[in-house]
Amino acid sequence: MDAPENQTAVARQASAAAEVTPFVNRRDPARLLGVDGLPAISRRAPIWQDVPDEKWNDWRWQLSNRVNELEEIGQILELTDEEREGLSAPDKFRVDVTPYFVSLIDPHDPDDPIRRQVIPLGREKSAFTGMMEDSLAEDRHSPVPGLVHRYPDRVLMLVTTQCASYCRYCTRSRIVGDPTMNFNRKEHEAQLDYLRRTPQVRDVLISGGDGLTLAPKLFESILRGLREIPHIEIIRIGSRVPVFLPQRIDDELCQMLQQYHPVWINLHFNHPNEITPEVSRAVDKLTRAGLPVGNQSVLLAGVNDCVHIQRSLVHKLVENRIRPYYLYQCDLVEGSGHFRTPVGKGLEIMEGLRGHTSGYAIPTYVIDAPGGGGKIPVMPNYLISYSDHKVVLRNYEGYITTYEEPPTYRQHDRAACSYCQNERAEPGQSGILGLLEGERMWIEPKGFSEIHTRGNTEAHRLQDPAKWVPFGVGAIEGTAAASLQVLEAGAVDRGSEVPGGLPVPAYGPGEEPRPREGEPTGSAHGELL
Ligand SMILES: *Cc1c(COP(=O)(O)O)cnc(C)c1O
Ligand code: SF4
């Protein structure tokens, strides 16, 4: 092609490219549209139908209109007797739910997974074996109020006891929700002061309560205080605000956060129903502001104790660029008895994730050590022993602890679970998960079923029936004697007599000839050598 022709072709291409309509990404959950062609929105409970959008979308309105009284919640949800009992208990853990979050609940379904996280049940008050007020011994590891210094290089900084809504299983229910136990400027200053004097701390995790419920100016002053300390490398925020109150994640907040980079954020989703279009847009803002977004889930009976729910959850998370970080075993904390699952449930979920889905979608399954040893991954090296009611674990520093399993656990009802019923088929590849879920009883290696016939060379190639002949008992008349003769013949063949009469092998260790296929041998090493 000569030069002028070439130039014409390029010009033609360029003008064609300019005419192409901009690409519309229909897969990005942050750009999801509703039937009206406007950004998708979640259901709103009828009692708030007339609230103007500007109010509904204002996080301050959401916070000041949270529901907590039996009568109020009874107008939104069809309450069960046990929920009424839970809501009227005088000494219950604080109840408060944002209008946005309570609206996501199916009012007619008492087992709704969002409902179970925020609406109390009467049985919350039942004690259980192993129950502790401060099961992670946080108070014992606090050099100043609200600062938990458990690990060598990082701290947990509790900046408030307030949250946007309250989770029934909260691990910090001993302080969370209680306005009389709140942390304020004075505590923040003491925490910062400790950090200034403690150069080994390179990572600070801001939690609570939920720091994002603080007045924006106050929260920013904490971030600034931390950033003024040169040895602090990363700041992390642990928050459930984007779940309960996605309206809070506005441009102003993101602008502010990105001034204090590197800032990471971990959210807390437990069920796919919590990932709404509002959440997708909020998380999109956070990622655009440069915060890597992670997720920590708690394994909860009746909410997410299901491989298929968890798989759907992690898929929705990665679609929203949220990286699953931890899956926590439910702590031994007051109020959480009915949420607890056996550790085997968590292992089954991990079995259902690894290999079955992207590595990005797989969290680490951890038990937060009772007594305060930090997060312990439930895997070999850390899982030391296991009985029918206790798990023995060790942490990175050699601390050994136990986790008491729940004495009763109502198994997940697969027949009633739409996630189980609509599970994605994995023809021939369900593997160990298929065994755990009872899809089949065993997996046979190739050729295994021919084990009792001679000539099986694929599996159990050393399983010659002669191996099972009871030598000297004569159970199979003649066979035993013949086998013995073979052995004796071998000894004579391979050895030579010495004056003392003991046979001396003609081969050094590892030099023996390989057994031929199908020839009986007790030594697998012989095969390898
Ligand atoms: C969870 C936690 C941390 C952070 O642990 P990572 O495993 O690094 O996420 C730090 N301090 C305390 C007290 C914690 O509970
Ligand atoms: S958001 Fe976190 S701190 Fe607040 S109630 Fe829930 S679990 Fe507890």
Side-chain angles (χ1 to χ4, degrees), residues 148 150-151 154-156 205 236 325-326 328 368 375:
V148 189
R150 165 173 300 146
Y151 292 105
R154 55 206 188 280
V155 296
L156 173 67
L205 165 48
R236 301 195 238 179
Y325 182 59
Y326 283 147
Y328 286 96
D368 216 336
K375 272 76 117 178

Side-chain angles (χ1 to χ4, degrees), residues 43-49 72-80 83-84 101-116 119 273:
R43 204 187 86 90
R44 216 195 262 195
I47 63 161
W48 293 298
Q49 228 43 265
E72 221 174 0
I73 298 175
Q75 287 171 28
I76 304 160
L77 309 174
E78 257 171 47
L79 292 175
T80 65
E83 286 174 328
R84 290 176 182 280
F101 200 64
V102 80
S103 292
L104 301 178
I105 298 174
D106 174 351
H108 314 296
D109 179 8
D111 298 325
D112 181 285
I114 290 185
R115 179 175 190 145
R116 291 282 50 86
I119 306 295
N273 286 7

Side-chain angles (χ1 to χ4, degrees), residues 111-278:
D111 298 325
D112 181 285
I114 290 185
R115 179 175 190 145
R116 291 282 50 86
Q117 292 180 60
V118 290
I119 306 295
L121 290 176
R123 76 189 92 153
E124 229 173 55
K125 301 311 298 174
S126 337
F128 57 86
T129 316
M131 184 175 93
M132 288 174 274
E133 196 195 15
D134 179 12
S135 73
L136 313 180
E138 292 187 330
D139 297 342
R140 205 149 36 81
H141 286 98
S142 297
V144 293
L147 199 84
V148 189
H149 193 173
R150 165 173 300 146
Y151 292 105
D153 70 337
R154 55 206 188 280
V155 296
L156 173 67
M157 182 176 180
L158 307 178
V159 298
T160 175
T161 59
Q162 305 298 296
C163 296
S165 300
Y166 294 91
C167 315
R168 305 322 300 162
Y169 52 84
C170 178
T171 193
R172 263 176 228 126
S173 51
R174 69 185 186 285
I175 50 168
V176 161
D178 185 346
T180 68
M181 298 188 74
N182 212 354
F183 304 106
N184 54 36
R185 268 269 44 127
K186 189 168 131 267
E187 277 82 29
H188 300 157
E189 206 28 68
Q191 294 170 340
L192 288 169
D193 197 52
Y194 174 85
L195 293 172
R196 286 182 203 111
R197 291 182 276 118
T198 316
Q200 61 268 41
V201 175
R202 43 161 288 283
D203 171 358
V204 176
L205 165 48
I206 303 176
S207 182
D210 200 318
L212 292 184
T213 61
L214 286 179
K217 285 266 169 322
L218 181 56
F219 189 66
E220 180 167 8
S221 73
I222 296 170
L223 289 178
R224 182 171 303 177
L226 288 172
R227 267 293 159 249
E228 279 164 1
I229 305 175
H231 56 263
I232 290 175
E233 296 167 6
I234 62 169
I235 298 174
R236 301 195 238 179
I237 300 167
S239 175
R240 223 184 169 194
V241 157
V243 184
F244 292 139
L245 187 63
Q247 297 79 6
R248 176 69 187 92
I249 311 304
D250 52 19
D251 294 333
E252 201 185 331
L253 177 75
C254 293
Q255 273 290 319
M256 186 274 278
L257 290 174
Q258 69 187 14
Q259 284 177 265
Y260 300 96
H261 273 321
V263 182
W264 295 56
I265 190 164
N266 252 337
L267 312 182
H268 172 177
F269 295 97
N270 291 321
H271 192 278
N273 286 7
E274 293 163 357
I275 307 178
T276 63
E278 288 85 348

Side-chain angles (χ1 to χ4, degrees), residues 19-90:
E19 280 161 28
V20 166
T21 43
F23 179 70
V24 182
N25 180 351
R26 299 251 175 252
R27 203 66 193 77
D28 183 350
R31 268 153 203 71
L32 192 70
L33 301 180
V35 282
D36 54 4
L38 296 171
I41 50 169
S42 303
R43 204 187 86 90
R44 216 195 262 195
I47 63 161
W48 293 298
Q49 228 43 265
D50 299 330
V51 174
D53 288 353
E54 313 88 76
K55 275 196 176 162
W56 182 262
N57 295 327
D58 176 352
W59 61 271
R60 290 171 219 264
W61 182 90
Q62 288 281 340
L63 275 185
S64 46
N65 285 278
R66 287 181 291 181
V67 293
N68 46 51
E69 299 283 343
L70 196 157
E71 288 69 36
E72 221 174 0
I73 298 175
Q75 287 171 28
I76 304 160
L77 309 174
E78 257 171 47
L79 292 175
T80 65
D81 289 345
E82 207 194 341
E83 286 174 328
R84 290 176 182 280
E85 185 193 337
L87 283 164
S88 15

Side-chain angles (χ1 to χ4, degrees), residues 466-480:
K467 188 173 171 184
W468 306 113
V469 172
F471 288 122
V473 177
I476 307 172
E477 226 33 78
T479 323

Side-chain angles (χ1 to χ4, degrees), residues 308 311 315 352 355-357 419-427:
H308 306 286
R311 219 187 267 167
H315 287 166
H356 299 267
T357 190
Y419 292 85
C420 289
Q421 296 311 309
N422 299 313
E423 81 182 87
R424 181 194 56 194
E426 293 182 355

